[in-house]
Amino acid sequence: DQTERKRLRNAKKSARRKARKEKLADEKLISRLQPGLGLNNPYEKRKMREELSMARASGKVTTGEIDMDANFNTSAKFFQKMQENVQDEIRGESDGGKKSKGG
């Protein structure tokens, strides 16, 4: 009986944590989308959060892919990786584009 209560309590806590985390993520997203709007007005904040949740429900908002192996701490690493990708694409085109002339 005690373990059952603990399990239920932990489930409620995890649900609250998840909701709080999503709310903070939404607020960050809203502040990035419209930096000057809704920061001081709680009603605007709530309205924007509701609009965002409605857009998510209707499928208008998509989440981007996160590249886990791309750990860029500096811009130099980012541009190095980007340059490698471009060079790989160029090599792929030059190898694939060659046609032999057969008579």
Side-chain angles (χ1 to χ4, degrees):
D1 190 39
Q2 185 179 7
T3 57
E4 179 77 14
R5 285 196 311 258
K6 280 186 178 180
R7 188 176 57 79
L8 289 172
R9 184 167 181 235
N10 284 335
K12 284 182 188 177
K13 279 185 163 187
S14 66
R16 278 194 213 117
R17 277 194 301 267
K18 185 178 178 186
R20 192 179 308 127
K21 198 173 188 180
E22 287 176 358
K23 184 178 173 184
L24 287 173
D26 287 350
E27 286 181 1
K28 276 186 180 180
L29 178 66
I30 289 169
S31 68
R32 267 188 261 135
L33 291 175
Q34 297 178 343
L37 180 73
L39 292 178
N40 299 325
N41 190 346
Y43 302 107
E44 274 299 314
K45 265 185 173 177
R46 188 174 67 201
K47 184 179 175 187
M48 288 292 289
R49 276 199 311 267
E50 288 173 0
E51 287 178 2
L52 184 62
S53 65
M54 292 297 289
R56 276 204 182 108
S58 65
K60 293 181 181 177
V61 176
T62 59
T63 56
E65 293 180 16
I66 298 173
D67 194 6
M68 291 297 178
D69 61 10
N71 189 7
F72 304 121
N73 297 334
T74 62
S75 60
K77 287 182 185 178
F78 170 76
F79 286 113
Q80 179 67 30
K81 180 73 172 172
M82 189 167 64
Q83 199 168 20
E84 288 174 5
N85 290 342
V86 170
Q87 287 175 350
D88 289 344
E89 287 178 13
I90 291 172
R91 285 187 204 123
E93 287 178 8
S94 64
D95 292 343
K98 287 185 178 178
K99 290 183 181 178
S100 60
K101 289 185 178 180

